[in-house]
Amino acid sequence: MQLKEKEYYNEITNIIESVEINSRVRQLQDNGEKLQAYWNIGRLIVEAQGGKRASYGDDLIKKWSYMLSSKYGNKYGKTNLKNMRQFYVLFPKSRTLCDKLLWSHYRYLLPIKNENERNYYINQVILNNLSVRELRNEIKNKAFNRLSYADKENIKIINNKDYNLTIEDMIKDPILIKTNKEINKLNEKALHKYIIEMLEHKFLELGTGFTLAGHEYKINVEGHSYRLDLLFFNVKLNCYVVVELKIKSVQYKDIEQVVFYTKLVDKYVKENSNNKTIGVIIVREYDTFMIKYTTSRDIIMTTYKMLKN
């Protein structure tokens, strides 16, 4: 082994021994320390290879993985060393790493080439405390591609001190509803009820920070009774969100209805400290004319899609 290469290898072994010894001392190893160690190993591999774009490297990783895995176990094998190298390449500034994500989270993010897409999923883990399995499902279901807002070009990893979400940042299009039922055999009323029940348990599909306030939420006003399909409260937006499902194309009267419901909630349900109520209309298919001429910032429209489990 050449002198320069040996120096890099020795530095990597020092990092590994430090993190492995500490993991034995503590029952639960500090995740931030592990991420920092893997990031530094990736940095040293890149430097030993002569830079990010150097062609020399696979032989080096193969050799080092054999030596390190023999000494410290399979987690320092060839695949993981390549992952650590990619970890450093994608996140060249260690201060951008978030210790709310485990190494297992990051491993699923490494193949994503689009930085905005990666940052979106990192934010979802931070905001929703996603498990590794939940993150994998979000990626599999292409949640980023289904965002209903237009700007996907400037997504930054959130800074909780100054990050402000909007409803447009949250709602996906389409919202995916997985089912084992034969949907075609359900009549309109049964289908509506079934989808509403599914949506009750799909907070993550709806967005970040939703908590259910009520299903068929009832508001009584001056002898009249009104039932809202779903009423949520969003803790991130500090407001109520009226959700109405339309299993056919949306009509103008449907939008008027949701506007009316948001006004009812504003007057009879929300507290003075809450922000203005938002309406979300979930439809089977868009009517672009209706969207263009009848919706406002307070009314969001998206579609749903039924998938067979």
Side-chain angles (χ1 to χ4, degrees):
M1 189 181 295
Q2 298 175 359
L3 179 61
K4 192 73 173 177
E5 182 183 316
K6 187 174 182 180
E7 290 174 357
Y8 281 119
Y9 178 80
N10 288 339
E11 193 168 347
I12 287 174
T13 60
N14 289 337
I15 291 171
I16 292 174
E17 287 182 2
S18 175
V19 76
E20 290 297 323
I21 289 171
N22 286 337
S23 69
R24 295 188 192 103
V25 172
R26 299 190 298 270
Q27 280 190 337
L28 181 62
Q29 182 185 327
D30 179 64
N31 184 53
E33 182 183 15
K34 177 185 280 189
L35 293 177
Q36 192 66 43
Y38 290 174
W39 183 88
N40 275 315
I41 291 171
R43 174 182 61 81
L44 291 167
I45 291 172
V46 168
E47 290 179 5
Q49 292 174 338
K52 297 177 185 178
R53 299 184 181 276
S55 58
Y56 164 66
D58 281 349
D59 290 341
L60 180 70
I61 288 179
K62 185 177 181 181
K63 178 168 66 176
W64 283 4
S65 67
Y66 176 77
M67 297 164 66
L68 293 171
S69 59
S70 297
K71 195 172 183 179
Y72 303 109
N74 291 334
K75 61 177 137 179
Y76 298 103
K78 183 178 177 181
T79 299
N80 247 3
L81 289 188
K82 283 187 173 182
N83 285 338
M84 291 174 200
R85 182 190 189 280
Q86 182 70 353
F87 189 41
Y88 170 73
V89 170
L90 294 181
F91 303 95
K93 297 179 181 179
S94 63
R95 66 176 179 271
T96 63
L97 301 178
C98 176
D99 59 10
K100 288 187 178 181
L101 277 72
L102 303 173
W103 172 242
S104 297
H105 284 112
Y106 277 110
R107 281 193 300 140
Y108 281 103
L109 296 168
L110 296 179
I112 299 175
K113 296 179 180 179
N114 184 323
E115 181 181 3
N116 292 298
E117 185 175 355
R118 277 198 314 274
N119 289 350
Y120 167 77
Y121 288 119
I122 290 172
N123 290 344
Q124 290 304 298
V125 176
I126 295 170
L127 291 168
N128 295 301
N129 195 28
L130 299 186
S131 67
V132 175
R133 181 181 179 182
E134 288 170 331
L135 171 63
R136 186 176 69 238
N137 287 338
E138 284 289 277
I139 295 171
K140 181 181 178 181
N141 290 332
K142 301 185 184 299
F144 174 78
N145 296 334
R146 294 186 290 114
L147 289 176
S148 58
Y149 69 102
D151 181 13
K152 300 180 185 179
E153 302 303 320
N154 192 32
I155 299 178
K156 304 297 182 185
I157 297 174
I158 67 172
N159 180 334
N160 286 327
K161 293 180 180 179
D162 57 16
Y163 188 78
N164 294 313
L165 281 169
T166 66
I167 190 71
E168 289 90 348
D169 293 331
M170 300 180 184
I171 301 299
K172 300 183 182 72
D173 187 8
I175 292 171
L176 301 182
I177 302 173
K178 296 184 178 180
T179 178
N180 290 319
K181 284 186 175 288
E182 293 294 333
I183 298 301
N184 295 331
K185 295 181 180 179
L186 297 178
N187 62 36
E188 186 175 310
K189 185 176 181 180
L191 178 60
H192 183 277
K193 182 179 179 181
Y194 176 73
I195 295 176
I196 289 295
E197 289 173 352
M198 293 297 100
L199 288 172
E200 282 187 56
H201 306 290
K202 296 295 285 183
F203 296 154
L204 189 56
E205 274 296 308
L206 284 174
T208 299
F210 285 92
T211 183
L212 182 66
H215 170 201
E216 294 190 355
Y217 191 90
K218 189 175 181 180
I219 300 178
N220 294 316
V221 181
E222 299 176 0
H224 297 280
S225 181
Y226 303 95
R227 289 186 182 273
L228 287 57
D229 277 348
L230 293 167
L231 182 65
F232 292 93
F233 187 82
N234 190 285
V235 296
K236 301 293 183 181
L237 303 176
N238 186 30
C239 72
Y240 283 96
V241 181
V242 173
V243 176
E244 286 290 307
L245 170 72
K246 305 301 174 185
I247 61 175
K248 296 182 178 180
S249 296
V250 68
Q251 303 295 313
Y252 178 66
K253 63 180 181 180
D254 299 326
I255 298 170
E256 284 188 318
Q257 179 191 51
V258 174
V259 170
F260 176 66
Y261 285 167
T262 61
K263 290 179 179 179
L264 285 181
V265 173
D266 277 341
K267 186 169 183 178
Y268 297 102
V269 181
K270 92 175 188 70
E271 303 289 340
N272 291 333
S273 58
N274 300 148
N275 294 322
K276 189 176 179 181
T277 301
I278 295 171
V280 175
I281 304 175
I282 304 174
V283 298
R284 187 176 65 182
E285 58 187 27
Y286 280 133
D287 184 320
T288 54
F289 179 84
M290 288 292 177
I291 294 173
K292 184 175 181 180
Y293 290 103
T294 61
T295 55
S296 68
R297 285 186 59 83
D298 299 322
I299 304 296
I300 303 298
M301 198 175 299
T302 188
T303 60
Y304 70 87
K305 184 176 182 180
M306 308 294 290
L307 297 178
K308 197 73 174 174
N309 259 341

